[in-house]
Amino acid sequence: MPVRMELNKIIISELADQQVIVLREIDGERTFPIVIGTGEAVAISRRLKGDVPARPMTHELLADVIDKLGGEVTRVEITDLQQHTFFARIHIRRADGEEISIDSRPSDAIAIGIATQVPIDVNESVLSEVC
């Protein structure tokens, strides 16, 4: 069963190759970090600050392609944790109404989720393992 989460914190270190985002349970107190790449962290941070670049970045581009093809991102979900690696899915409603989900890295899923302003869900089994 998925648990609704929100982005609680972005930790960007200019001296490190990997950055950290922290997700927090909306109706609870559980939090956990996910290590992500600098590009994804910067994209998420820019979007949250309302800093829209003159040309679309990768996550905005993908969100726009989905929209132009008649689809809609409905939510993103962290689905699994295996050997210290998180797995995610991007849930999309196609133009014909069919719901599909696409395998994704959590960082990309969250960046697209922030770009499209959709909920972030985390599978309860993942939360049980990390919290």
Side-chain angles (χ1 to χ4, degrees):
M1 170 175 250
V3 176
R4 190 66 33 103
M5 306 288 283
E6 65 185 356
L7 183 60
N8 184 52
K9 190 184 306 185
I10 302 173
I11 302 168
I12 298 176
S13 171
E14 295 177 7
L15 302 176
D17 290 336
Q18 297 178 327
Q19 313 305 321
V20 176
I21 58 173
V22 178
L23 297 180
R24 180 176 57 117
E25 187 176 18
I26 289 179
D27 293 328
E29 297 184 10
R30 295 180 286 184
T31 65
F32 71 96
I34 299 176
V35 175
I36 65 173
T38 301
E40 292 80 9
V42 169
I44 292 168
S45 179
R46 279 187 183 152
R47 187 64 170 194
L48 291 173
K49 292 176 183 175
D51 180 15
V52 180
R55 304 292 303 147
M57 301 302 288
T58 304
H59 303 101
E60 285 89 7
L61 173 64
L62 182 55
D64 196 39
V65 168
I66 292 167
D67 179 62
K68 296 292 191 243
L69 291 173
E72 174 188 12
V73 177
T74 58
R75 67 187 177 100
V76 297
E77 182 179 15
I78 312 286
T79 57
D80 202 3
L81 176 61
Q82 296 177 18
Q83 299 175 343
H84 308 290
T85 301
F86 290 98
F87 293 81
R89 307 229 22 115
I90 301 168
H91 295 267
I92 300 169
R93 182 179 306 113
R94 295 183 350 180
D96 63 5
E98 181 182 352
E99 290 271 343
I100 61 171
S101 67
I102 307 294
D103 183 35
S104 174
R105 298 183 309 172
S107 56
D108 291 326
I110 291 168
I112 289 170
I114 297 297
T116 56
Q117 300 177 344
V118 299
I120 300 168
D121 291 333
V122 177
N123 193 307
E124 180 65 51
S125 65
V126 173
L127 282 173
S128 296
E129 199 167 332
V130 297
C131 293

